[in-house]
Amino acid sequence: MKATIYHNPRCSKSREALALLQEAGADVTIVEYLKTPPSRAELVRLYDRAGMTPRQGLRMAEDGAKAVKHGDAEAILDAMVIDPLLIERPLVETDKGVRLGRPIARLHEIL
């Protein structure tokens, strides 16, 4: 099974998700999204596959989220492209779908 993880190695949940994927024997592509941010179109595609809105993918703990948390999807996506710290992690994609790994157990749905 192939998997892509949008990963921040400094995040414990992201590290847990990566370990889960590796333990499951997945062929993992790691995208350090702070170094290589996804495009706006890629974010739209991922959230569509996950069945979630950009607001649900917004990392509310970041200061920059306060300015857009009540905005529409377009404003939130624009903010995420400008500041990828606003993208909640870990986001994982397999052939079975996309899930936000919070909680990590949700990743079992796509393994």
Side-chain angles (χ1 to χ4, degrees):
M1 160 190 43
K2 292 185 181 261
T4 300
I5 181 171
Y6 292 84
H7 179 61
N8 179 347
R10 297 183 68 198
C11 171
S12 64
K13 293 294 181 199
S14 197
R15 290 191 308 268
E16 286 177 39
L18 179 57
L20 177 68
L21 293 170
Q22 291 169 332
E23 288 168 13
D27 176 13
V28 183
T29 299
I30 300 170
V31 178
E32 287 191 36
Y33 70 94
L34 295 178
K35 293 179 181 177
T36 310
S39 68
R40 189 178 199 286
E42 182 69 356
L43 287 171
V44 168
R45 186 189 72 75
L46 289 166
Y47 293 144
D48 282 349
R49 277 201 80 209
M52 56 190 285
T53 66
R55 180 172 285 111
Q56 291 170 313
L58 181 62
R59 186 166 172 75
M60 300 301 277
E62 297 299 328
D63 289 338
K66 292 176 180 81
V68 295
K69 69 180 179 181
H70 297 296
D72 63 12
E74 302 303 313
I76 292 170
L77 287 166
D78 289 343
M80 288 174 169
V81 168
I82 292 167
D83 184 2
L85 270 175
L86 298 178
I87 301 169
E88 186 64 275
R89 67 216 178 228
L91 200 55
V92 175
E93 180 172 32
T94 71
D95 288 339
K96 294 182 179 180
V98 175
R99 292 293 181 274
L100 179 61
R102 288 183 181 266
I104 296 297
R106 293 202 63 224
L107 298 180
H108 290 286
E109 298 169 7
I110 60 170
L111 295 180

